[in-house]
Amino acid sequence: MLGHGKADQEARRASALAAWHRPARMEELLGLNPDDLFSLGREYTALKLDRQAVRLFRAAFPPALRKEDRAREIISYLAILGDWPGTARTAEELLAAYPGSAEGEYWWGRAFLEMGQPHRGESHLRRAFQLQPTLSDALFQVGRLEEQAGKKK
C-alpha cells in the first residue's frame, strides 16, 4: 500500500511539472484553477517542487495584501521554502500595509538574520516581541544574535 501512495505522489509531481510548462492544462492535470496562485503554491510545496512554489507565492503576494492573514501565510511559506530575500521583501510590504504587524516584524527580522545581516534584523525581532509577547521565537532569535555576538568577542 505504501508503494502505491509513492507512485501516486510521483504521478502527481509529473503532472505538476507538465502543468508548469502548459498552464492552460493546469485544471485538467492538477484539478486546480490556474489563477489561484496561492493554492498552486501550496500544491507545488507539497510535491517538493520548491523553485516553482516560490515563484507562485511571490506572484500571489501582491493581491494577498488585501487580506493580512493570507499575506502572512504566504510569507511563512516563503520562509519555509528558504526564500529569505522573498521573505524580507514581502514582510517589508506587509509592514507598509499593516504597520503594527508583529508577524511582519518577526519575518523581516528573521530574514535578515538568515541572510547574515543580524544588525538589520535585531530591531525587528525585538519589535515583534514588544508587539506580541507570545511570539517567543522572536526572543529566541534575539538570544541567538546575542550568543553569536558573544562568541565573536
Side-chain angles (χ1 to χ4, degrees):
M1 197 66 160
L2 189 61
H4 183 68
K6 186 173 175 143
D8 289 345
Q9 181 81 353
E10 286 302 314
R12 182 102 175 136
R13 194 170 195 278
S15 292
L17 287 170
W20 183 260
H21 297 288
R22 292 178 189 85
R25 296 190 60 205
M26 187 72 66
E27 200 150 357
E28 172 191 345
L29 292 167
L30 292 178
L32 294 170
N33 180 338
D35 296 326
D36 185 355
L37 300 177
F38 176 76
S39 293
L40 288 170
R42 288 176 52 171
E43 179 71 13
Y44 278 75
T45 299
L47 294 170
K48 308 254 187 277
L49 295 168
D50 296 353
R51 183 178 56 83
Q52 292 88 345
V54 163
R55 289 183 60 190
L56 288 163
F57 284 126
R58 283 184 172 196
F61 187 78
L65 269 175
R66 291 188 300 266
K67 297 178 182 175
E68 185 181 2
D69 289 346
R70 177 58 53 95
R72 287 193 322 248
E73 196 170 356
I74 289 172
I75 294 169
S76 296
Y77 271 108
L78 290 171
I80 289 165
L81 292 165
D83 178 20
W84 295 110
T87 301
R89 182 182 50 76
T90 53
E92 181 179 18
E93 290 178 35
L94 178 72
L95 283 168
Y98 305 95
S101 172
E103 292 89 350
E105 292 284 359
Y106 171 78
W107 285 119
W108 204 10
R110 178 72 188 272
F112 283 131
L113 178 62
E114 298 299 334
M115 292 187 299
Q117 300 173 41
H119 58 283
R120 293 185 69 189
E122 183 175 5
S123 64
H124 295 290
L125 292 166
R126 288 186 188 281
R127 174 95 172 115
F129 186 71
Q130 286 173 344
L131 289 168
Q132 187 176 330
T134 59
L135 196 55
S136 57
D137 194 59
L139 195 56
F140 172 77
Q141 298 302 329
V142 169
R144 264 181 70 196
L145 289 170
E146 290 172 356
E147 182 180 313
Q148 290 172 2
K151 286 181 182 178
K152 288 180 183 175
K153 289 180 182 179

